[in-house]
Amino acid sequence: MTAAAPEPKENMGQPVPRYDAVVKVTGRATYASDMPLDNPAYAFLVTSAIAKGRIDRFDLDEARSVRGVIEIVTHENAPELKESKLFSDGGYAGTTIQPLKSAEISHDGEIIAVVIAESYEAAREAANRVKVSYTATAPSATFDSPGTTAAAAKGQNAQFKEDAKVGDFAKAFDEAEVKITAAYGTPTQHHNPMELFTTSCAWMGDNLVIYEGSQYVYGLKNGVAEQLGIDPDKVRVVNPYVGGGFGSRGSMTPRTAIIAAIARRLNRPIKLVPTRDQGFTIATYRAETRHEIKLGAARDGKLVALRHEGAEVSSRADAYCVGGTKTTTRLYACPNVDSLVSIVRADRNTPGFMRSPPEVPYLFALESAMDELAVQLNMDPVELRRINDTTNEPIGGKPYTSRSLMACFDEAAKAFGWAQRSPQPKSMSDGDWLIGYGCAATCYPTQMAPSAARVRLQRDGRTRVEIAGHEIGTGAYTVIAQTAADRLGVPLEKVAVFMGDSDLPPAPVAGGSNSTASTCSAVMMVCDQIRQRLFKAVMPDSLTEKAKETVGISPAPTTQAAKSDRPLDIEKAFDALGVGVVEEYGEWKPDGAPLDSFRAMHSGHPRLVGGHQMKDQIAYAFGAEFVEVRINRFTHEIRCPRLVGAFAAGRIVNPRTARSQLMGGLIWGMSSALLEATEIDERYARYVNDNLADYLLPVNADVPGVEVIMLSEQDDRINPAGVKGLGELANVGTNAAICNAIHHATGQRIRNLPVRLENIEA
Ligand code: MOS
């Protein structure tokens, strides 16, 4: 075993190499814009140079004169599209701002024209020659900008159901022995996946094929069909590989239906490859947030009162919000809790999911405040968490299905060397460098959604798994192949997995870290259907009907359980059945999924269940993160030499891909504290650093040491696969751990991200 392929502990699968490793490192993995098209035309977008106002006039003469231009589509001649509802209102869209519908402009960088030409270069050249006259009005950019409006999230966002509260916060806070009140802020961030927001559309008669990187092929298929007004069965979305998602490809953006409609009109395949900077405004992003936290505690550290008020920016058109109070009000034992989430509307594109959408900003606030409270109590911050650890969430009193938070703190503290920390701020140094140690908790809800799968087993053991899941770089192919191999008892190298195609059986959105739990549960169930058919064929007649119903099926989630079932002699069973291939299709849904689940699954609406919304329990994965920062006394340069995280997330199907996910999360978490921020020019409500040179991202030298520890945890109450999901676990809390470490190094508390050297006073 190596660091990259950790030794599996109890309830972990084998760290097999990635299923898609070879095609990826040899450049043979085909991404959406690599798909060959027959005689394509090329599209280039023109985007608005103002954030608010209207287009008075286009002057297209010069653009039209560029050789190779086929057509220029503006609101004056655009194909008609049906409106799409926001996903949270039962639709598919990540924004209801539909470009090319009118002369009105809703945000900077909105699509205002699409140039179609014989080559990419001609389309780009012509797009640069499109002249636009606008009447601009002053836009509202962000918090505190004139003209914004604010209102409670509850009542305007259907998915935000509750401002959690319990007990009497005001009285308890008033009477608390120790209290803190503090305000925090997090910046705008953009996902910047490597793969640009490309779309290729090709029609064959009435049938449309879309090649587009997507985290939800069924959502995109149904959403585009709705906008075009055609039967969803005529639309196919294909993307066997996706070059990063991070939430940006979870819901439909307006570009797809526009390109599809133009391709239909021109009767020619069209390929769109937008630029990096256009990606900042034609897709979604993480909006800036503000928080006020009030904590009241007894002298012994026990929380008696907690209040979390959050505010988030959204567009004028859409009430998007992440509402992380659902998590922060339930993380620690506390009898008196209050919360409120508000949405502030500005002249911006609609924000959307970005890795751990609620937890990253909201736990930054809570886990910073917990550290502030520990300082005021003169208590070790780890011990403060221990004192307030709980088996039941405080709002509804429901038990956590399993909770290894303190075990994670203890493991990570040991690996990090937390005991060597001298608690006084500014007490540790090395030459010119002040040293700080900080820590924070992380957690992420365990979510599942209905999923289907088709599995085919041949007499020679070769197996084909078909499921419209998504490989966004996470290891989805690998864990699905492992699950089928384990369940059928066939060698891994005989399993082929087909994903990223909406003609395959539906899987949920690859979001909310639900993919492994959902798709592996479905694949297990369908493999069991095959096992049952085979077992029945070879079973002695003396067995009762009841035994025949259950033989070959094990309810337990572990590999060990599958192995301890009767071994399956595949060849004997095939001979008895007299067939060469056995194929099964099945639809799985998690406990507590709504009645319309399977219908919704086929029409591209994921019915995610889990987290705090389960009936009698609450399910989260947990972790603890420790960081060392070093701050130069003279230049105030901030370095982060070490990140150590310990995590428990139920069954780990593959410790290699899991570690890779968690390591990426830790690095992204560090990045969200020290590097990443989209800067906004408030005069124009415009993103300034919309490129990979000015939008800071971490490189290897930014985090020399990352250590990932995976704890063994078994949870049989969540789903058949026993998987909690960890894609979005590790990048939560890191930002707080870093600010807590900066406080330890310098004595200075920084409550707004990102932290840059100019923010350091000491
Ligand atoms: Mo994740 S932000 O749910 O793709």
Side-chain angles (χ1 to χ4, degrees), residues 191 215 245-248 250 353-357 444 472 510-513 728:
H191 317 79
Q215 292 172 247
F246 317 124
S248 66
F353 328 112
M354 183 164 156
R355 280 194 91 160
S356 320
Y444 193 82
I472 57 176
S513 296
E728 293 164 275

Side-chain angles (χ1 to χ4, degrees), residues 551-563:
V551 73
I553 293 180
S554 156
T558 64
T559 325
Q560 287 83 353
K563 280 189 186 137

Side-chain angles (χ1 to χ4, degrees), residues 463-481:
T463 303
R464 181 185 169 98
V465 183
E466 297 181 345
I467 180 165
H470 311 82
E471 178 56 73
I472 57 176
T474 47
Y477 278 114
T478 316
V479 295
I480 288 172

Side-chain angles (χ1 to χ4, degrees), residues 155-234:
Q156 53 174 331
N157 179 312
Q159 287 188 344
F160 185 88
K161 299 200 177 80
E162 170 215 24
D163 283 309
K165 18 181 132 312
V166 72
D168 185 343
F169 166 81
K171 181 165 178 286
F173 185 73
D174 198 46
E175 293 168 0
E177 290 172 334
V178 182
K179 47 189 132 186
I180 62 151
T181 299
Y184 304 90
T186 64
T188 318
Q189 296 181 337
H190 279 77
H191 317 79
N192 280 304
M194 290 279 276
E195 185 182 10
L196 296 165
F197 293 102
T198 73
T199 297
S200 294
C201 289
W203 291 83
M204 289 265 277
D206 291 344
N207 290 285
L208 168 66
V209 182
I210 301 167
Y211 300 106
E212 178 177 311
S214 167
Q215 292 172 247
Y216 195 20
V217 291
Y218 266 74
L220 189 57
K221 159 190 150 130
N222 281 281
V224 171
E226 182 182 75
Q227 281 205 273
L228 295 173
I230 62 174
D231 179 354
D233 283 345
K234 304 256 180 226

